[in-house]
Amino acid sequence: MKKTISLVAALMMVSGVVAAHPFNEAFNEQRAMYGKGHSFTWNGQTYITDHPEEIAAAVVANAANATALLAAAKDQYTQVLAVDFGWTLTKNLLKSAGKALETGEFRKSMDLSAQAQYHSRMGIAQYHQSQAEWIMAVPE
Amino acid sequence: MFSFHEDKNEEKLMRKSIIKHALLGLVLVGASSMTLAAASADQIAKGKALYLNKKKGNCIACHMIPDADAKLPGNQGPPLVAMKARFPDPKVLRAQIWDPTVKSPSTIMPPFGRHWILSEDEIDDIVAYLYQY
Amino acid sequence: MKIIKSLLAGASLALVASISQAATSGNTLATVDPEADRSAMQSYFQKRFPQVALSDYVNGIYALDAPSREQWQSIEEFPPYEFDIEEGEALFNKTFANGKSYADCFANGGIGIRQNFPRWDASQGKVVTLELAINQCRKANGEEALGWKKGKIAQISAYMAFTSRDNVFDVQIPNDKAKAAYLDGKQSFYARRGQLNMSCANCHIAGAYIKIRADLPGPTLGHVTHFPVFRSKWGELGTLQRRYGGCQKNVRGVPQKTQGEKFRNLEFFQTYMSNGLVVNGPGARK
């Protein structure tokens, strides 16, 4: 199971910003129908419908892990701001994650960081997708 | 009813009780369906609240639904009627909410799941609510 | 069942609004054709609303929706921006510490020139909006720049628009650099952004005159002609780029920089689309 999980994370990170990657499409299709925690097969391999950020947060809740996750989420947010496609709620998620970390609510902090990091990854994906697809919305 | 959003703990509990009360199978069928119905009512209520909440689903901004409490709906999207007939498979309806751009690339509707606007549980709640119409 | 059927018919009607023919070129400097874009935009709206005269688009949503037009007309009888025009005139005529004034910075003494903005400035190599020109004039004369979104800058812009009423918008794209800026603005207009994944076009082309709750988004054609606007929701006057930022926040995107390159290019594109329509700013909006 652990092997599967790290594989899915690696695959999604590598494919990263490319929304139309076949694995991402397959993953999204499954997640869309079944939500989290559903197993599916793609190219002969078994995967689970959890986002890599959720998988990264599914470790023991402690200060070290919460700190690392928050740092990763902040880093991703910096990256999405660099392409000018940040989302408004992400900043508050990061703030809440930071507060939860301070008050020792590690689980809460880690889940918020996971969501914030996912948001920023999707913002970057949106930037790339917009670049490629905007012309299709122009009336002719 | 919606096998895909059954609560996991509930399922576990149910399995336990099936073993315990194997002989009372018939009684159990009645009991378990009652439990499911109760969970559904809760989900429907939550789904309705999400449907109306401007900061959550805000489905009412664009979709009419024949619920007396859903006043002054917008009409950017189609009215939400005959849902079971239009979406016999609830998974298809769920996927449509999760990311409508898959089927309609030019839609104005936000991808509620793909952009994590709503949680996965919240999307299940909305499906439960929509299926009432 | 009959009700359901007619509701579904209504749904398919709404779908008519979506774009039937989408462009496949015009997304590169080599293929972009601003005049073709402008006529495609105009014919899109004229096909959708054949009863609406092209010249009436300067009135935004009120060109399309009779009930709200009536309300708006009664507001315009005692325009809420009247005070701002007077203030704007006073500010415009006030001399700077060095004895010069705005009139020295603009063609024709700054009177009746709104229709030429935003303009491509070859020496600066960028799009200059009217508000940017106002602040550049101030800085050139040793004055502090004004805030971009409201207050004095909006009042001066309102006065300058007022002196230009009925002049025909004539935004020029004189060279390839200007065309690149136009293309960038065009891309911004059609690009989805924010967590809600919406573009300007989603609401103001396909979604125009279709209800979002009780609100009716206006058509992008004629969008810029009546700015700056006194918006009831703001309770005051605001510039076009103030509204840009508000729109981006509405779709849950971190707003881009007011008077930054992206917004100036967007305004360049959007105003070009309204070439041929008249200046009717400042306006009153909900």
mmCIF file with all atom_site columns, all heavy atoms in Angstrom, chain A residues 45-64:
data_model
loop_
_atom_site.group_PDB
_atom_site.id
_atom_site.type_symbol
_atom_site.label_atom_id
_atom_site.label_alt_id
_atom_site.label_comp_id
_atom_site.label_asym_id
_atom_site.label_entity_id
_atom_site.label_seq_id
_atom_site.pdbx_PDB_ins_code
_atom_site.Cartn_x
_atom_site.Cartn_y
_atom_site.Cartn_z
_atom_site.occupancy
_atom_site.B_iso_or_equiv
_atom_site.pdbx_formal_charge
_atom_site.auth_seq_id
_atom_site.auth_comp_id
_atom_site.auth_asym_id
_atom_site.auth_atom_id
_atom_site.pdbx_PDB_model_num
ATOM 1   N N   . GLN A 1 45 ? -1.605  -0.770 -12.812 1.00 0.00 ? 45 GLN A N   1
ATOM 2   C CA  . GLN A 1 45 ? -1.181  -0.454 -11.440 1.00 0.00 ? 45 GLN A CA  1
ATOM 3   C C   . GLN A 1 45 ? -2.386  -0.024 -10.622 1.00 0.00 ? 45 GLN A C   1
ATOM 4   O O   . GLN A 1 45 ? -3.316  0.571  -11.167 1.00 0.00 ? 45 GLN A O   1
ATOM 5   C CB  . GLN A 1 45 ? -0.183  0.708  -11.465 1.00 0.00 ? 45 GLN A CB  1
ATOM 6   C CG  . GLN A 1 45 ? 1.259   0.293  -11.682 1.00 0.00 ? 45 GLN A CG  1
ATOM 7   C CD  . GLN A 1 45 ? 1.951   -0.076 -10.382 1.00 0.00 ? 45 GLN A CD  1
ATOM 8   O OE1 . GLN A 1 45 ? 1.375   0.078  -9.312  1.00 0.00 ? 45 GLN A OE1 1
ATOM 9   N NE2 . GLN A 1 45 ? 3.154   -0.591 -10.472 1.00 0.00 ? 45 GLN A NE2 1
ATOM 10  N N   . THR A 1 46 ? -2.326  -0.309 -9.332  1.00 0.00 ? 46 THR A N   1
ATOM 11  C CA  . THR A 1 46 ? -3.417  0.124  -8.470  1.00 0.00 ? 46 THR A CA  1
ATOM 12  C C   . THR A 1 46 ? -3.070  1.460  -7.813  1.00 0.00 ? 46 THR A C   1
ATOM 13  O O   . THR A 1 46 ? -1.956  1.654  -7.344  1.00 0.00 ? 46 THR A O   1
ATOM 14  C CB  . THR A 1 46 ? -3.687  -0.929 -7.374  1.00 0.00 ? 46 THR A CB  1
ATOM 15  O OG1 . THR A 1 46 ? -3.949  -2.163 -8.024  1.00 0.00 ? 46 THR A OG1 1
ATOM 16  C CG2 . THR A 1 46 ? -4.882  -0.544 -6.524  1.00 0.00 ? 46 THR A CG2 1
ATOM 17  N N   . TYR A 1 47 ? -4.036  2.350  -7.842  1.00 0.00 ? 47 TYR A N   1
ATOM 18  C CA  . TYR A 1 47 ? -3.850  3.673  -7.223  1.00 0.00 ? 47 TYR A CA  1
ATOM 19  C C   . TYR A 1 47 ? -5.026  3.970  -6.316  1.00 0.00 ? 47 TYR A C   1
ATOM 20  O O   . TYR A 1 47 ? -6.058  3.310  -6.354  1.00 0.00 ? 47 TYR A O   1
ATOM 21  C CB  . TYR A 1 47 ? -3.759  4.763  -8.301  1.00 0.00 ? 47 TYR A CB  1
ATOM 22  C CG  . TYR A 1 47 ? -2.620  4.564  -9.261  1.00 0.00 ? 47 TYR A CG  1
ATOM 23  C CD1 . TYR A 1 47 ? -2.820  3.900  -10.469 1.00 0.00 ? 47 TYR A CD1 1
ATOM 24  C CD2 . TYR A 1 47 ? -1.347  5.015  -8.952  1.00 0.00 ? 47 TYR A CD2 1
ATOM 25  C CE1 . TYR A 1 47 ? -1.774  3.704  -11.355 1.00 0.00 ? 47 TYR A CE1 1
ATOM 26  C CE2 . TYR A 1 47 ? -0.292  4.819  -9.840  1.00 0.00 ? 47 TYR A CE2 1
ATOM 27  C CZ  . TYR A 1 47 ? -0.513  4.173  -11.032 1.00 0.00 ? 47 TYR A CZ  1
ATOM 28  O OH  . TYR A 1 47 ? 0.522   3.980  -11.897 1.00 0.00 ? 47 TYR A OH  1
ATOM 29  N N   . ILE A 1 48 ? -4.861  5.011  -5.533  1.00 0.00 ? 48 ILE A N   1
ATOM 30  C CA  . ILE A 1 48 ? -5.940  5.431  -4.644  1.00 0.00 ? 48 ILE A CA  1
ATOM 31  C C   . ILE A 1 48 ? -6.284  6.890  -4.964  1.00 0.00 ? 48 ILE A C   1
ATOM 32  O O   . ILE A 1 48 ? -5.410  7.657  -5.369  1.00 0.00 ? 48 ILE A O   1
ATOM 33  C CB  . ILE A 1 48 ? -5.534  5.217  -3.161  1.00 0.00 ? 48 ILE A CB  1
ATOM 34  C CG1 . ILE A 1 48 ? -6.725  5.400  -2.238  1.00 0.00 ? 48 ILE A CG1 1
ATOM 35  C CG2 . ILE A 1 48 ? -4.394  6.120  -2.755  1.00 0.00 ? 48 ILE A CG2 1
ATOM 36  C CD1 . ILE A 1 48 ? -6.513  4.779  -0.872  1.00 0.00 ? 48 ILE A CD1 1
ATOM 37  N N   . THR A 1 49 ? -7.562  7.237  -4.793  1.00 0.00 ? 49 THR A N   1
ATOM 38  C CA  . THR A 1 49 ? -8.019  8.574  -5.219  1.00 0.00 ? 49 THR A CA  1
ATOM 39  C C   . THR A 1 49 ? -7.743  9.668  -4.190  1.00 0.00 ? 49 THR A C   1
ATOM 40  O O   . THR A 1 49 ? -8.566  10.550 -3.976  1.00 0.00 ? 49 THR A O   1
ATOM 41  C CB  . THR A 1 49 ? -9.531  8.568  -5.515  1.00 0.00 ? 49 THR A CB  1
ATOM 42  O OG1 . THR A 1 49 ? -10.211 8.116  -4.348  1.00 0.00 ? 49 THR A OG1 1
ATOM 43  C CG2 . THR A 1 49 ? -9.878  7.721  -6.701  1.00 0.00 ? 49 THR A CG2 1
ATOM 44  N N   . ASP A 1 50 ? -6.609  9.611  -3.532  1.00 0.00 ? 50 ASP A N   1
ATOM 45  C CA  . ASP A 1 50 ? -6.253  10.692 -2.609  1.00 0.00 ? 50 ASP A CA  1
ATOM 46  C C   . ASP A 1 50 ? -5.245  11.617 -3.300  1.00 0.00 ? 50 ASP A C   1
ATOM 47  O O   . ASP A 1 50 ? -4.343  11.142 -3.988  1.00 0.00 ? 50 ASP A O   1
ATOM 48  C CB  . ASP A 1 50 ? -5.624  10.123 -1.328  1.00 0.00 ? 50 ASP A CB  1
ATOM 49  C CG  . ASP A 1 50 ? -6.652  9.392  -0.482  1.00 0.00 ? 50 ASP A CG  1
ATOM 50  O OD1 . ASP A 1 50 ? -7.820  9.289  -0.932  1.00 0.00 ? 50 ASP A OD1 1
ATOM 51  O OD2 . ASP A 1 50 ? -6.294  8.909  0.601   1.00 0.00 ? 50 ASP A OD2 1
ATOM 52  N N   . HIS A 1 51 ? -5.417  12.910 -3.078  1.00 0.00 ? 51 HIS A N   1
ATOM 53  C CA  . HIS A 1 51 ? -4.461  13.863 -3.643  1.00 0.00 ? 51 HIS A CA  1
ATOM 54  C C   . HIS A 1 51 ? -3.095  13.649 -2.992  1.00 0.00 ? 51 HIS A C   1
ATOM 55  O O   . HIS A 1 51 ? -3.024  13.292 -1.809  1.00 0.00 ? 51 HIS A O   1
ATOM 56  C CB  . HIS A 1 51 ? -4.907  15.300 -3.359  1.00 0.00 ? 51 HIS A CB  1
ATOM 57  C CG  . HIS A 1 51 ? -6.198  15.667 -4.024  1.00 0.00 ? 51 HIS A CG  1
ATOM 58  N ND1 . HIS A 1 51 ? -6.448  15.436 -5.348  1.00 0.00 ? 51 HIS A ND1 1
ATOM 59  C CD2 . HIS A 1 51 ? -7.318  16.258 -3.526  1.00 0.00 ? 51 HIS A CD2 1
ATOM 60  C CE1 . HIS A 1 51 ? -7.666  15.870 -5.643  1.00 0.00 ? 51 HIS A CE1 1
ATOM 61  N NE2 . HIS A 1 51 ? -8.223  16.370 -4.567  1.00 0.00 ? 51 HIS A NE2 1
ATOM 62  N N   . PRO A 1 52 ? -2.027  13.903 -3.719  1.00 0.00 ? 52 PRO A N   1
ATOM 63  C CA  . PRO A 1 52 ? -0.684  13.767 -3.127  1.00 0.00 ? 52 PRO A CA  1
ATOM 64  C C   . PRO A 1 52 ? -0.545  14.603 -1.852  1.00 0.00 ? 52 PRO A C   1
ATOM 65  O O   . PRO A 1 52 ? 0.135   14.182 -0.911  1.00 0.00 ? 52 PRO A O   1
ATOM 66  C CB  . PRO A 1 52 ? 0.250   14.276 -4.224  1.00 0.00 ? 52 PRO A CB  1
ATOM 67  C CG  . PRO A 1 52 ? -0.571  14.657 -5.379  1.00 0.00 ? 52 PRO A CG  1
ATOM 68  C CD  . PRO A 1 52 ? -1.978  14.243 -5.145  1.00 0.00 ? 52 PRO A CD  1
ATOM 69  N N   . GLU A 1 53 ? -1.222  15.745 -1.815  1.00 0.00 ? 53 GLU A N   1
ATOM 70  C CA  . GLU A 1 53 ? -1.158  16.593 -0.610  1.00 0.00 ? 53 GLU A CA  1
ATOM 71  C C   . GLU A 1 53 ? -1.839  15.907 0.571   1.00 0.00 ? 53 GLU A C   1
ATOM 72  O O   . GLU A 1 53 ? -1.386  16.019 1.711   1.00 0.00 ? 53 GLU A O   1
ATOM 73  C CB  . GLU A 1 53 ? -1.824  17.948 -0.873  1.00 0.00 ? 53 GLU A CB  1
ATOM 74  C CG  . GLU A 1 53 ? -1.087  18.826 -1.884  1.00 0.00 ? 53 GLU A CG  1
ATOM 75  C CD  . GLU A 1 53 ? -1.426  18.499 -3.335  1.00 0.00 ? 53 GLU A CD  1
ATOM 76  O OE1 . GLU A 1 53 ? -2.215  17.558 -3.569  1.00 0.00 ? 53 GLU A OE1 1
ATOM 77  O OE2 . GLU A 1 53 ? -0.902  19.185 -4.227  1.00 0.00 ? 53 GLU A OE2 1
ATOM 78  N N   . GLU A 1 54 ? -2.939  15.199 0.280   1.00 0.00 ? 54 GLU A N   1
ATOM 79  C CA  . GLU A 1 54 ? -3.643  14.466 1.344   1.00 0.00 ? 54 GLU A CA  1
ATOM 80  C C   . GLU A 1 54 ? -2.796  13.296 1.828   1.00 0.00 ? 54 GLU A C   1
ATOM 81  O O   . GLU A 1 54 ? -2.765  12.988 3.025   1.00 0.00 ? 54 GLU A O   1
ATOM 82  C CB  . GLU A 1 54 ? -4.991  13.958 0.830   1.00 0.00 ? 54 GLU A CB  1
ATOM 83  C CG  . GLU A 1 54 ? -5.999  15.067 0.609   1.00 0.00 ? 54 GLU A CG  1
ATOM 84  C CD  . GLU A 1 54 ? -7.238  14.604 -0.164  1.00 0.00 ? 54 GLU A CD  1
ATOM 85  O OE1 . GLU A 1 54 ? -7.146  13.617 -0.919  1.00 0.00 ? 54 GLU A OE1 1
ATOM 86  O OE2 . GLU A 1 54 ? -8.284  15.251 -0.026  1.00 0.00 ? 54 GLU A OE2 1
ATOM 87  N N   . ILE A 1 55 ? -2.129  12.661 0.869   1.00 0.00 ? 55 ILE A N   1
ATOM 88  C CA  . ILE A 1 55 ? -1.271  11.528 1.232   1.00 0.00 ? 55 ILE A CA  1
ATOM 89  C C   . ILE A 1 55 ? -0.101  12.016 2.093   1.00 0.00 ? 55 ILE A C   1
ATOM 90  O O   . ILE A 1 55 ? 0.236   11.405 3.104   1.00 0.00 ? 55 ILE A O   1
ATOM 91  C CB  . ILE A 1 55 ? -0.770  10.809 -0.042  1.00 0.00 ? 55 ILE A CB  1
ATOM 92  C CG1 . ILE A 1 55 ? -1.960  10.134 -0.735  1.00 0.00 ? 55 ILE A CG1 1
ATOM 93  C CG2 . ILE A 1 55 ? 0.316   9.789  0.291   1.00 0.00 ? 55 ILE A CG2 1
ATOM 94  C CD1 . ILE A 1 55 ? -1.691  9.674  -2.153  1.00 0.00 ? 55 ILE A CD1 1
ATOM 95  N N   . ALA A 1 56 ? 0.461   13.143 1.702   1.00 0.00 ? 56 ALA A N   1
ATOM 96  C CA  . ALA A 1 56 ? 1.574   13.698 2.477   1.00 0.00 ? 56 ALA A CA  1
ATOM 97  C C   . ALA A 1 56 ? 1.130   14.072 3.892   1.00 0.00 ? 56 ALA A C   1
ATOM 98  O O   . ALA A 1 56 ? 1.920   14.024 4.842   1.00 0.00 ? 56 ALA A O   1
ATOM 99  C CB  . ALA A 1 56 ? 2.146   14.921 1.768   1.00 0.00 ? 56 ALA A CB  1
ATOM 100 N N   . ALA A 1 57 ? -0.143  14.436 4.047   1.00 0.00 ? 57 ALA A N   1
ATOM 101 C CA  . ALA A 1 57 ? -0.648  14.832 5.362   1.00 0.00 ? 57 ALA A CA  1
ATOM 102 C C   . ALA A 1 57 ? -1.113  13.633 6.185   1.00 0.00 ? 57 ALA A C   1
ATOM 103 O O   . ALA A 1 57 ? -1.387  13.759 7.380   1.00 0.00 ? 57 ALA A O   1
ATOM 104 C CB  . ALA A 1 57 ? -1.788  15.832 5.205   1.00 0.00 ? 57 ALA A CB  1
ATOM 105 N N   . ALA A 1 58 ? -1.218  12.469 5.535   1.00 0.00 ? 58 ALA A N   1
ATOM 106 C CA  . ALA A 1 58 ? -1.706  11.279 6.238   1.00 0.00 ? 58 ALA A CA  1
ATOM 107 C C   . ALA A 1 58 ? -0.574  10.580 6.981   1.00 0.00 ? 58 ALA A C   1
ATOM 108 O O   . ALA A 1 58 ? -0.361  9.381  6.845   1.00 0.00 ? 58 ALA A O   1
ATOM 109 C CB  . ALA A 1 58 ? -2.378  10.326 5.248   1.00 0.00 ? 58 ALA A CB  1
ATOM 110 N N   . VAL A 1 59 ? 0.189   11.344 7.727   1.00 0.00 ? 59 VAL A N   1
ATOM 111 C CA  . VAL A 1 59 ? 1.259   10.789 8.567   1.00 0.00 ? 59 VAL A CA  1
ATOM 112 C C   . VAL A 1 59 ? 0.956   11.179 10.009  1.00 0.00 ? 59 VAL A C   1
ATOM 113 O O   . VAL A 1 59 ? -0.005  11.919 10.252  1.00 0.00 ? 59 VAL A O   1
ATOM 114 C CB  . VAL A 1 59 ? 2.648   11.340 8.136   1.00 0.00 ? 59 VAL A CB  1
ATOM 115 C CG1 . VAL A 1 59 ? 3.033   10.790 6.771   1.00 0.00 ? 59 VAL A CG1 1
ATOM 116 C CG2 . VAL A 1 59 ? 2.662   12.853 8.140   1.00 0.00 ? 59 VAL A CG2 1
ATOM 117 N N   . VAL A 1 60 ? 1.783   10.711 10.911  1.00 0.00 ? 60 VAL A N   1
ATOM 118 C CA  . VAL A 1 60 ? 1.512   10.995 12.329  1.00 0.00 ? 60 VAL A CA  1
ATOM 119 C C   . VAL A 1 60 ? 1.486   12.507 12.554  1.00 0.00 ? 60 VAL A C   1
ATOM 120 O O   . VAL A 1 60 ? 2.296   13.265 12.002  1.00 0.00 ? 60 VAL A O   1
ATOM 121 C CB  . VAL A 1 60 ? 2.533   10.276 13.235  1.00 0.00 ? 60 VAL A CB  1
ATOM 122 C CG1 . VAL A 1 60 ? 3.954   10.746 12.956  1.00 0.00 ? 60 VAL A CG1 1
ATOM 123 C CG2 . VAL A 1 60 ? 2.191   10.472 14.707  1.00 0.00 ? 60 VAL A CG2 1
ATOM 124 N N   . ALA A 1 61 ? 0.486   12.942 13.322  1.00 0.00 ? 61 ALA A N   1
ATOM 125 C CA  . ALA A 1 61 ? 0.326   14.373 13.568  1.00 0.00 ? 61 ALA A CA  1
ATOM 126 C C   . ALA A 1 61 ? 1.248   14.817 14.698  1.00 0.00 ? 61 ALA A C   1
ATOM 127 O O   . ALA A 1 61 ? 1.034   14.491 15.858  1.00 0.00 ? 61 ALA A O   1
ATOM 128 C CB  . ALA A 1 61 ? -1.134  14.673 13.922  1.00 0.00 ? 61 ALA A CB  1
ATOM 129 N N   . ASN A 1 62 ? 2.289   15.518 14.320  1.00 0.00 ? 62 ASN A N   1
ATOM 130 C CA  . ASN A 1 62 ? 3.181   16.085 15.330  1.00 0.00 ? 62 ASN A CA  1
ATOM 131 C C   . ASN A 1 62 ? 3.749   17.408 14.836  1.00 0.00 ? 62 ASN A C   1
ATOM 132 O O   . ASN A 1 62 ? 3.516   17.805 13.695  1.00 0.00 ? 62 ASN A O   1
ATOM 133 C CB  . ASN A 1 62 ? 4.297   15.101 15.702  1.00 0.00 ? 62 ASN A CB  1
ATOM 134 C CG  . ASN A 1 62 ? 5.162   14.729 14.498  1.00 0.00 ? 62 ASN A CG  1
ATOM 135 O OD1 . ASN A 1 62 ? 5.349   15.531 13.583  1.00 0.00 ? 62 ASN A OD1 1
ATOM 136 N ND2 . ASN A 1 62 ? 5.673   13.511 14.518  1.00 0.00 ? 62 ASN A ND2 1
ATOM 137 N N   . ALA A 1 63 ? 4.474   18.080 15.683  1.00 0.00 ? 63 ALA A N   1
ATOM 138 C CA  . ALA A 1 63 ? 4.962   19.427 15.360  1.00 0.00 ? 63 ALA A CA  1
ATOM 139 C C   . ALA A 1 63 ? 5.866   19.411 14.132  1.00 0.00 ? 63 ALA A C   1
ATOM 140 O O   . ALA A 1 63 ? 5.749   20.268 13.260  1.00 0.00 ? 63 ALA A O   1
ATOM 141 C CB  . ALA A 1 63 ? 5.706   20.003 16.559  1.00 0.00 ? 63 ALA A CB  1
ATOM 142 N N   . ALA A 1 64 ? 6.768   18.407 14.062  1.00 0.00 ? 64 ALA A N   1
ATOM 143 C CA  . ALA A 1 64 ? 7.718   18.366 12.952  1.00 0.00 ? 64 ALA A CA  1
ATOM 144 C C   . ALA A 1 64 ? 6.997   18.206 11.617  1.00 0.00 ? 64 ALA A C   1
ATOM 145 O O   . ALA A 1 64 ? 7.263   18.928 10.659  1.00 0.00 ? 64 ALA A O   1
ATOM 146 C CB  . ALA A 1 64 ? 8.703   17.213 13.162  1.00 0.00 ? 64 ALA A CB  1
#
